[in-house]
């Protein structure tokens, strides 16, 4: 595959001049879905329709599941070092196409180029970590649990695994799962978000060109709810990795486990950023801008509530620093260098967030910065908006609104801040800005969240560590990435062996 080409093999070539319909990749072949309906994948910066996404049916899912099942025994029997080399070949392909993948992310969902490059880079890091699979897979042994008896624990693949992924990280999130799953000896089906599937499609095209990854090991099925439910119900699928909204995560866990699958389901978030009265605002405010408004607030780690600790004077100081920074934040087409706040994924998403802002104002929130009148031709852009919290239990303060809308809550002290943060139903990320070691120590110990940032606005996933939230931000137990990924994608087997005494006369001595 040429690094610079944007023409996709996994598309319908007949539709000259028309947006192409994506194909599924099943058993090593690009195949048209049986779907009669499609959705448009729209560039939120221009409104252009980039591709049509087939709403794959249960029959498509069934074909993918059978192909993955057929390929699994031989793949599991492939030497672990060879599987590691296959993942390394994927790492090389991703790395040499990083710019192209970055552009696809920006076109498909609006994300600013720098952010998109970072997301692809994080996906590559997960792939790199999975290259170490021979070390990660090693089991445990205990000699002499009884006389002449030793015990070993092996990790074996779960079988066929599927990943169902959200729109906001179309490169990174599929790569949280795919490399680890196949490195462990599983075969894999990806159902990417129907809103921006061209980046994962391109990743699978790259896989198609990698000889070390045999047909059927990786498959992609496009679509929405029917495809997801088909995967959740399918008897040939053994495990599901999911990322998306909290309500979808519950549905996936419920339906997937009912058919006996292992499920990890990472859900939504409402993350607070506590700004202590000793925080250096020159460091904190830019970090808060990136957190609240980067990717138009469409990150599960976005800081969407600023919890400002301090007296009247400090509150005024923080409020005006946030207002100044938000109203001058580079906002617009994500393809333009330097933009921090790009369009949202689509006009309907923008309208939903603007309506939530309006409701908050009607309920008593004060406007600190209003970005609602800033939009683009596609109707998907909304400028950074900051509103004060009039009621700590309001929709603005408690619900995931997933847009460039920052709620501002002012409190007396760290006790009050922690009480607010920990009363959330979510526990994905929690951030504190301070120069006090004592405040940091208390916050990181007491805060109820899976990912904690200390003077860091976005405590982003790091490939070598587990990534997920607590409470309603995650259902299941094993997180994504790091050693948790290996735990999730393997089953443990414990073998107890009694070593028979040597037959009389065998030349082993008497010991
Ligand atoms: P979503 O839940 O709408 O969609 C996620 C996937 O589930 C998609 O592939 C979609 O096709 C499918 N889906 C959606 N509704 C379904 C239904 N009713 N039945 C069957 N399948 C369904 O999520 P989204 O809007 O694409 O992504 C944004 C959400 O993801 C936010 O809530 C965000 O916080 C969350 N997220 C969480 C993390 C995390 O690590 N916890 C990371 C990224 C995004």
């Amino acid at each position: 595959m040429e690094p610079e080409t944007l023409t996709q093999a996994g598309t319908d070539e007949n539709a000259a001049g028309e947006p192409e319909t994506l194909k599924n990749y099943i058993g090593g072949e690009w195949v048209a879905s049986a779907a009669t309906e499609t959705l448009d994948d729209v560039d939120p910066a221009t409104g252009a329709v980039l591709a049509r996404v087939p709403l794959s049916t249960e029959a498509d899912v069934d074909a993918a599941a059978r192909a993955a099942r057929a390929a699994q025994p031989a793949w599991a029997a492939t030497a672990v070092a060879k599987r590691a080399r296959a993942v390394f070949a994927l790492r090389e392909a991703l790395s040499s196409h990083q710019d192209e993948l970055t552009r696809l992310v920006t076109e498909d969902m609006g994300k600013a180029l720098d952010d998109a490059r970072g997301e692809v880079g994080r996906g590559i890091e997960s792939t790199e970590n999975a290259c170490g699979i021979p070390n990660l897979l090693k089991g445990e042994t205990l000699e002499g649990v009884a006389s002449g008896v030793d015990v070993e624990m092996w990790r074996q693949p779960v079988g066929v695994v599927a990943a169902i992924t959200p729109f906001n990280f179309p490169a990174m999130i599929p790569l949280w799962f795919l490399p680890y799953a196949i490195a462990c000896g599983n075969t894999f089906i990806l159902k990417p978000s129907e809103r921006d599937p061209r980046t994962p499609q391109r990743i699978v095209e790259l896989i198609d060109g990698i000889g070390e990854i045999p047909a059927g090991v990786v498959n992609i099925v496009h679509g929405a709810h029917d495809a997801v439910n088909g995967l959740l119900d399918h008897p040939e699928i053994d495990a599901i990795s999911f990322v998306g909204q909290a309500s979808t995560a519950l549905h996936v866990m419920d339906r997937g486990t009912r058919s006996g699958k292992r499920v990890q389901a990472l859900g939504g978030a409402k993350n607070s950023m506590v700004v202590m009265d000793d925080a250096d605002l020159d460091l904190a405010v830019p970090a808060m801008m990136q957190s609240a408004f980067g990717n138009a607030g469409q990150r599960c780690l976005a800081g969407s509530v600023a919890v400002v600790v301090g007296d009247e004077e400090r509150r005024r100081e923080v409020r005006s620093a946030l207002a100044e920074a938000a109203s001058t934040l580079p906002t617009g087409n994500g393809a333009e260098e330097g933009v921090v706040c790009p369009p949202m994924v689509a006009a309907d998403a923008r309208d939903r967030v603007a309506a939530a802002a309006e409701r908050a104002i009607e309920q008593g929130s004060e406007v600190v910065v209003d970005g609602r009148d800033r939009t683009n031709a596609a109707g998907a852009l909304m400028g950074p908006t900051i509103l004060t919290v009039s009621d700590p239990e309001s929709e603005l303060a408690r619900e995931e609104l997933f847009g460039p809308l920052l709620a501002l809550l002012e409190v007396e002290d760290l006790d009050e801040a922690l009480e607010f943060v920990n009363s959330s139903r979510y526990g994905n990320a929690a951030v504190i800005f301070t120069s006090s070691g004592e405040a940091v120590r208390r916050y990181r110990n007491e805060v109820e969240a899976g990912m904690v940032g200390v003077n860091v606005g976005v405590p982003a996933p790091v490939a070598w560590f587990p990534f997920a939230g607590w409470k309603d931000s995650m259902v299941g137990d094993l997180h994504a990435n790091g050693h948790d990924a290996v735990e999730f994608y393997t089953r443990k087997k414990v073998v107890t062996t009694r070593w028979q005494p040597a037959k009389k006369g065998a030349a082993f001595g008497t010991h």
Side-chain angles (χ1 to χ4, degrees):
M1 229 32 97
E2 287 301 310
E4 288 312 312
T5 181
L6 282 176
T7 308
Q8 299 211 297
T11 53
D12 182 349
E13 304 286 341
N14 299 325
E18 270 286 294
E20 294 171 315
T21 302
L22 300 183
K23 288 185 174 172
N24 294 330
Y25 181 70
I26 297 177
E29 303 288 334
W30 293 102
V31 289
S33 159
T36 51
E37 282 179 79
T38 59
L39 296 176
D40 290 347
D41 174 0
V42 177
D43 178 343
T46 64
V49 178
L50 302 168
R52 304 221 193 272
V53 186
L55 293 179
S56 294
T57 61
E58 281 183 20
D60 297 312
V61 170
D62 183 54
R66 281 189 287 112
R69 173 60 70 200
Q72 203 269 331
W75 180 241
T78 302
V80 64
K82 279 194 169 178
R83 296 202 306 265
R85 261 175 241 132
V87 178
F88 190 74
L90 171 59
R91 186 259 172 226
E92 293 292 272
L94 293 169
S95 186
S96 61
H97 291 78
Q98 186 164 1
D99 287 347
E100 182 193 347
L101 293 168
T102 297
R103 284 203 308 281
L104 279 172
V105 171
T106 296
E107 280 177 17
D108 252 24
M109 58 128 351
K111 185 174 287 190
L113 280 173
D114 263 3
D115 236 1
R117 196 169 292 119
E119 122 155 55
V120 176
R122 286 181 191 281
I124 292 173
E125 282 176 1
S126 292
T127 312
E128 285 166 358
N129 195 31
C131 291
I133 199 68
N135 267 315
L136 295 169
L137 264 187
K138 283 192 291 198
E140 300 168 5
T141 57
L142 184 61
E143 189 182 32
V145 293
S147 177
V149 177
D150 301 333
V151 178
E152 301 148 290
M153 188 276 283
W154 303 341
R155 289 179 202 283
Q156 297 189 329
V158 171
V160 177
V161 306
I164 300 157
T165 53
F167 80 82
N168 64 335
F169 285 93
M172 179 184 77
I173 293 183
L175 293 171
W176 281 353
F177 303 123
L178 188 159
Y180 291 103
I182 67 169
C184 289
N186 303 283
T187 52
F188 187 81
I189 304 168
L190 176 63
K191 204 303 284 175
S193 171
E194 61 275 27
R195 284 177 175 264
D196 53 2
R198 290 191 317 148
T199 312
Q201 180 84 342
R202 187 74 183 110
I203 292 171
V204 173
E205 281 180 25
L206 296 175
I207 288 173
D208 186 37
I210 297 174
E212 292 98 325
I213 303 181
V217 171
V218 174
N219 306 273
I220 189 167
V221 176
H222 294 286
H225 302 186
D226 289 349
V228 170
N229 292 333
L231 291 167
L232 297 175
D233 294 343
H234 203 289
E236 293 291 354
I237 295 173
D238 302 296
I240 300 277
S241 296
F242 169 85
V243 183
Q245 298 182 48
S247 54
T248 325
L250 277 178
H251 166 72
V252 166
M253 174 58 75
D254 181 42
R255 194 153 169 168
T257 51
R258 259 192 280 149
S259 63
K261 297 180 193 356
R262 178 180 289 202
V263 179
Q264 56 178 182
L266 283 66
K270 185 77 176 180
N271 308 310
S272 290
M273 301 182 283
V274 173
V275 188
M276 295 299 290
D277 50 2
D278 61 0
D280 178 348
L281 294 186
D282 290 342
L283 298 177
V285 169
M288 292 169 79
M289 291 297 112
Q290 285 286 349
S291 181
F293 304 122
N295 199 16
Q298 300 166 117
R299 291 191 190 117
C300 68
L301 296 174
S304 49
V305 188
V307 182
V308 175
V309 176
D311 59 16
E312 279 306 317
E313 194 188 336
R314 173 69 172 178
R315 291 174 187 192
R316 267 198 304 278
E317 183 192 11
V318 177
R319 195 187 275 215
S320 82
L322 290 173
E324 163 75 18
S327 47
T328 54
L329 198 71
T331 298
N333 185 338
E336 284 165 19
E337 276 310 325
V339 162
V340 176
C341 183
M344 295 186 61
V345 65
D348 62 334
R350 182 225 184 263
D351 293 346
R352 182 183 46 73
V353 177
E358 187 58 36
R359 280 194 297 280
I361 295 164
E362 281 164 13
Q363 287 160 18
S365 284
E366 284 171 48
V367 177
V368 180
V369 178
D370 193 348
R372 287 174 300 158
D373 52 354
R374 299 171 76 177
T375 193
N376 64 356
L381 184 74
M382 173 168 148
T385 300
I386 305 179
L387 304 178
T388 62
V389 170
S390 61
D391 168 6
E393 295 315 314
S394 60
E395 177 190 46
L396 176 70
R398 290 302 187 193
E399 298 302 321
E400 179 176 52
L401 299 171
F402 222 54
L405 175 56
L406 177 65
L408 177 62
L409 177 70
E410 292 162 338
V411 299
E412 294 290 329
D413 52 25
L414 183 56
D415 287 343
E416 207 184 324
L418 267 167
E419 193 184 324
F420 172 79
V421 175
N422 285 345
S423 328
S424 173
R425 60 180 276 229
Y426 296 109
N428 213 40
V431 165
I432 187 167
F433 292 99
T434 181
S435 51
S436 153
E438 190 185 0
V440 169
R441 191 158 191 272
R442 179 160 172 226
Y443 190 77
R444 69 179 191 184
N445 177 255
E446 291 182 25
V447 80
E448 294 170 7
M451 308 299 298
V452 178
V454 176
N455 296 320
V456 163
V458 182
V462 178
W464 310 278
F465 288 88
F467 179 86
W470 289 8
K471 303 201 276 191
D472 285 0
S473 296
M474 159 96 194
V475 276
D477 51 9
L478 291 167
H479 292 194
N481 262 315
H483 212 273
D484 273 27
V486 177
E487 289 286 332
F488 186 75
Y489 291 127
T490 55
R491 292 187 288 191
K492 296 182 203 72
K493 181 179 275 181
V494 173
V495 180
T496 303
T497 306
R498 180 184 299 283
W499 300 99
Q500 296 287 335
K503 282 223 169 103
K504 220 173 171 189
F508 290 114
T510 52
H511 185 64

